[in-house]
């Protein structure tokens, strides 16, 4: 009986004293550990370093690309009257009449004009008799090519003879490094053209490796003018150095 009374007293005590919230399983606040965040100065410094690195990378890329971009911008974007070039740029460029036949100096078939593609060309046009202006052009063509130094293999000098007249024997030795072909005047007129008031034989013409006539030097060019023409040629060769290969395939040479 004493045990029963003790149990009743325990239950009565429990009824009059409810358990603490923890014992009842009620929720209670969790303890949090607060970690310190990076300082504002450190975060700003890291962001500044990141921006500085990006600008340095952009700067390096611009320095590497600047020569090519500047060359093409100078020749293919600015209008002709804003350029420093001596020669007149042709816009739009004219493609070579590829299938027009040509002949050697002795009149034998020499292929077609299209075989001249694959090389930068500096071209003169004149009758076979080759008067004084013609001889001056041939001299300047040869000198311009030689003045290009190690780049000269990327450019040929070409005389297109516009009739069937014989070529003077005294100039033959000087033509050994030239490409000399007889071409149909009508076909040449579809490709090359003089400035207003001038004749086709009054100019030297520049043709790119794709066969496009793209520049015409002024009529009556002398040695002082040739020095300016050389600067144009130097810039053209620099601008095309990434895609133009020196030397035309021997099989394509006339």
């Amino acid at each position: 009986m004493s045990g029963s009374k003790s149990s009743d007293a325990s239950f009565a005590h429990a009824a009059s004293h409810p358990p603490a919230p923890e014992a009842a399983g009620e929720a209670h606040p969790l303890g949090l550990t607060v970690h310190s965040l990076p300082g504002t100065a450190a975060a700003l410094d890291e962001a500044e370093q990141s921006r500085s690195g990006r600008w340095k990378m952009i700067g390096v890329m611009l320095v590497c690309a600047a020569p090519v971009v500047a060359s093409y911008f100078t020749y293919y974007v600015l209008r002709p009257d804003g350029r420093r070039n001596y020669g007149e740029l042709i816009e739009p460029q004219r493609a070579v009449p590829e299938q027009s036949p040509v002949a050697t100096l002795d009149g034998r078939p020499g292929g077609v004009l299209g075989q001249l593609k694959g090389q930068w060309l500096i071209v003169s046009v004149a009758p076979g008799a080759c008067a004084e202006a013609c001889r001056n052009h041939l001299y300047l063509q040869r000198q311009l090519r030689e003045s290009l130094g190690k780049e000269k293999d990327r450019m040929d000098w070409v005389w297109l003879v516009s009739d069937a007249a014989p070529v003077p024997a005294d100039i033959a030795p000087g033509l050994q490094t030239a490409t000399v072909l007889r071409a149909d005047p009508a076909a040449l007129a579809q490709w090359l053209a003089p400035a207003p008031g001038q004749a086709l034989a009054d100019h030297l013409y520049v043709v790119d490796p794709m066969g496009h006539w793209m520049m015409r030097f002024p009529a009556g060019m002398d040695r002082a003018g040739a020095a300016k023409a050389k600067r144009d040629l130097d810039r053209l060769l620099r601008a095309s150095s990434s895609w133009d290969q020196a030397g035309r395939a021997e099989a394509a040479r006339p």
Side-chain angles (χ1 to χ4, degrees), residues 21 62 75 78 107 122 134 193:
L62 289 176
Y75 272 99
L78 295 178
I122 181 166
C134 166

Side-chain angles (χ1 to χ4, degrees), residues 42-68:
L44 291 176
D45 184 62
E46 182 178 351
E48 182 63 27
Q49 289 180 358
S50 178
R51 283 195 296 269
S52 176
R54 286 196 296 269
W55 279 114
K56 287 180 180 178
M57 181 180 299
I58 293 172
V60 170
M61 293 173 63
L62 289 176
V63 168
C64 293
V68 174

Side-chain angles (χ1 to χ4, degrees), residues 1 5 8 10 15 45 55 61 68 70 78 84 103 106 109 126 135-136 142 146 152 170 178 180 194 198 218 229 245:
M1 291 296 293
K5 291 180 180 179
D8 292 341
S10 297
D45 184 62
W55 279 114
M61 293 173 63
V68 174
L78 295 178
R84 296 181 296 107
D106 58 8
R135 293 177 181 232
N136 181 60
R142 182 179 62 187
E146 291 299 318
K152 71 179 184 179
D170 63 312
V180 184
Q198 303 293 334
Q245 301 298 318

